[in-house]
């Protein structure tokens, strides 16, 4: 009887203590609750600002890629305009020489004439007579370089180059104030995927136009990087890296990245790791039996087993190489 009576006495007493404690602590806890609410509001605001920053950054990079494409198109138009002007000048010179020839034919005289200036590639000696005409072409031949020029005024130029084992081929030579001149643009993927969703054989031989979306070809890339030492610059929608050494293997080696070192940063964000073979949708070399990254992302690349956390389907992606000798 004593314990139940004691219990009935203590219950209202403990409730009273709890009520008094709550009333005495509330003035202390209340500011802390307000501070917690403010912190939560600030956290929400920060998340919103971060989201807006990411969206603005993404939009900026897209506009940058679009502007670069417009620059390439303008360079292409400028090149066509120059060719048109040169053709116009040649047409005028040809008309003048033809008029001279007609006058001389009528008079039966001998004449020596040439089209162009003193270092022109086409010069002729013609004798007008009763029965024969003799023509002697100049022995001068055009000189084809084996690399992009070390200096150029324009952002892009499109010369032909020739290296041992290959016929002359056109390239895109790039130059700017930050990386200098002498760069061959070998892989130039814009935001679209249509031009780069190609077969393995197409990637071996190369495709596209040096003045636009373009890949020089795995075969040429192998010959270039094994013939002379080359450095490489990889440019992406959001970042870029430069490496001192870049070597691509041959067909029997799956055109693997045989050597990639001396880089300014981590090339894994480009999914570029030494020893990786080249993959396309019809030749999966990413060593992942459950994935075909080339097919999933829509373009050929040196894909790794885990794919890339940074490279997306519609990203702008370029590779340029430069001779080091």
């Amino acid at each position: 009887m004593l314990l139940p009576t004691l219990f009935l006495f203590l219950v209202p007493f403990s409730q009273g203590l709890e009520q008094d404690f709550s009333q005495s602590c509330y003035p202390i806890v209340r500011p802390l609750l307000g501070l917690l609410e403010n912190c939560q509001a600030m956290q929400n605001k920060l998340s919103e600002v971060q989201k807006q920053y990411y969206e603005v950054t993404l939009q900026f990079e897209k506009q940058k890629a679009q502007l670069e494409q417009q620059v390439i198109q303008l360079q292409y138009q400028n090149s066509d305009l120059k060719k048109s002007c040169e053709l116009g000048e040649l047409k005028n010179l040809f008309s003048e020489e033809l008029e001279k020839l007609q006058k001389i034919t009528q008079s039966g005289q001998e004449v020596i004439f040439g089209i162009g200036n003193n270092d022109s590639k086409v010069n002729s000696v013609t004798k007008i007579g009763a029965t024969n005409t003799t023509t002697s072409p100049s022995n001068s031949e055009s000189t084809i370089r084996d690399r992009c020029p070390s200096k150029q005024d324009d952002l892009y130029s499109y010369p032909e180059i020739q290296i041992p084992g290959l016929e002359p081929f056109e390239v895109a030579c790039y130059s700017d104030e930050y990386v200098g001149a002498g760069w061959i643009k070998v892989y130039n993927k814009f935001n679209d995927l249509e031009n780069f969703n190609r077969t393995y054989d197409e990637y071996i031989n190369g495709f596209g136009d040096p003045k636009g979306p373009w890949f020089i070809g795995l075969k040429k890339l192998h010959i270039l990087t094994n013939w002379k030492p080359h450095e490489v610059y990889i440019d992406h929608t959001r970042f870029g890296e430069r490496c001192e050494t870049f070597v691509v293997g041959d067909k029997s080696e799956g055109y693997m990245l045989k050597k990639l070192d001396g880089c300014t940063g981590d090339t894994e964000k480009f999914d570029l790791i030494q020893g990786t073979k080249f993959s396309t949708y019809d030749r999966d070399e990413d060593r992942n039996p459950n994935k075909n990254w080339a097919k999933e992302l829509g373009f050929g690349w040196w894909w790794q087993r885990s794919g890339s956390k940074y490279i997306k389907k519609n990203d702008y992606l370029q590779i340029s190489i430069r001779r080091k000798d």
Side-chain angles (χ1 to χ4, degrees):
M1 290 295 294
L2 179 60
L3 288 175
T5 304
L6 182 60
F7 177 75
L8 292 174
F9 171 76
L10 289 176
V11 168
F13 177 73
S14 62
Q15 290 177 346
L17 285 176
E18 184 180 351
Q19 185 176 5
D20 292 341
F21 179 77
S22 300
Q23 292 176 353
S24 61
C25 290
Y26 184 72
I28 299 174
V29 175
R30 182 178 180 182
L32 295 176
L33 292 174
L35 182 60
L36 182 61
E37 291 177 355
N38 290 338
C39 288
Q40 185 63 42
M42 291 177 66
Q43 180 68 31
N44 294 338
K45 185 65 176 177
L46 179 60
S47 298
E48 182 64 25
V49 169
Q50 288 175 335
K51 180 180 178 182
Q52 292 175 358
Y53 173 77
Y54 174 77
E55 291 175 350
V56 170
T57 303
L58 187 61
Q59 184 65 27
F60 171 77
E61 295 298 341
K62 288 181 179 179
Q63 292 177 354
K64 175 187 173 184
Q66 291 172 357
L67 287 173
E68 288 175 340
Q69 292 182 39
Q70 291 174 3
V71 168
I72 292 172
Q73 291 174 356
L74 288 173
Q75 290 288 339
Y76 179 64
Q77 293 171 0
N78 184 45
S79 176
D80 286 346
L81 182 60
K82 286 181 179 179
K83 289 179 181 178
S84 298
C85 293
E86 291 172 358
L87 287 173
E89 292 174 1
L90 287 173
K91 183 180 178 181
N92 293 335
L93 286 171
F94 181 77
S95 298
E96 292 174 3
E97 296 298 337
L98 183 60
E99 185 178 352
K100 290 179 183 178
L101 182 60
Q102 289 173 344
K103 291 180 180 179
I104 292 165
T105 303
Q106 293 173 358
S107 63
Q109 297 177 357
E110 181 180 290
V111 64
I112 298 175
F113 70 91
I115 298 176
N117 52 27
N118 292 334
D119 48 3
S120 171
K121 298 175 186 176
V122 181
N123 289 287
S124 299
V125 179
T126 303
K127 182 176 181 180
I128 307 299
T131 58
N132 63 10
T133 301
T134 305
T135 302
S136 301
S138 171
N139 292 325
S140 63
E141 295 180 356
S142 60
T143 301
I144 299 179
R145 297 175 178 269
D146 60 2
R147 65 198 299 172
C148 283
S150 58
K151 293 182 180 179
Q152 68 181 49
D153 296 329
D154 296 328
L155 186 67
Y156 285 97
S157 64
Y158 304 97
E160 279 195 338
I161 67 170
Q162 185 174 22
I163 58 177
L166 292 174
E167 294 294 323
F169 58 95
E170 186 180 16
V171 294
C173 295
Y174 179 75
S175 171
D176 69 30
E177 59 181 322
Y178 301 105
V179 297
W183 294 94
I184 300 177
K185 198 168 290 293
V186 297
Y187 190 106
N188 190 22
K189 174 186 170 297
F190 294 160
N191 293 355
D192 65 312
L193 294 174
E194 181 179 352
N195 291 294
F196 275 75
N197 193 21
R198 304 282 186 133
T199 65
Y200 193 71
D201 286 340
E202 287 178 297
Y203 269 96
I204 289 175
N205 297 317
F207 52 84
D209 186 338
K211 301 176 181 67
W214 150 261
F215 180 54
I216 196 171
L218 291 166
K219 181 180 178 181
K220 289 188 179 75
L221 195 55
H222 160 70
I223 294 174
L224 279 166
T225 57
N226 285 268
W227 173 54
K228 296 287 184 180
H230 280 76
E231 59 182 321
V232 63
Y233 182 76
I234 309 111
D235 193 19
H236 181 260
T237 303
R238 291 178 290 279
F239 35 73
E241 293 292 346
R242 188 170 174 175
C243 301
E244 294 180 359
T245 306
F246 180 71
V247 180
V248 174
D250 62 16
K251 187 175 182 179
S252 67
E253 298 168 309
Y255 296 105
M256 71 165 62
L257 290 177
K258 290 192 71 174
K259 199 165 186 182
L260 183 69
D261 56 26
C263 302
T264 55
D266 182 10
T267 58
E268 287 193 21
K269 59 176 168 281
F270 295 104
D271 217 35
L272 295 178
I273 299 176
Q274 190 168 297
T276 305
K277 294 182 179 181
F278 196 87
S279 286
T280 57
Y281 74 85
D282 64 336
R283 188 183 179 97
D284 184 11
E285 298 283 3
D286 59 25
R287 296 178 296 177
N288 187 335
N290 300 317
K291 285 285 187 180
N292 182 335
W293 290 109
K295 183 176 182 179
E296 186 168 321
L297 294 174
F299 58 96
W301 192 251
W302 291 272
W303 294 113
Q304 285 292 309
R305 178 183 180 88
S306 58
S308 174
K309 297 178 182 178
Y310 302 95
I311 299 178
K312 308 303 178 186
K313 277 188 175 182
N314 296 317
D315 283 352
Y316 169 83
L317 192 58
Q318 287 187 341
I319 297 178
S320 301
I321 61 173
R322 180 168 66 177
R323 286 255 300 267
K324 295 171 65 177
D325 59 334

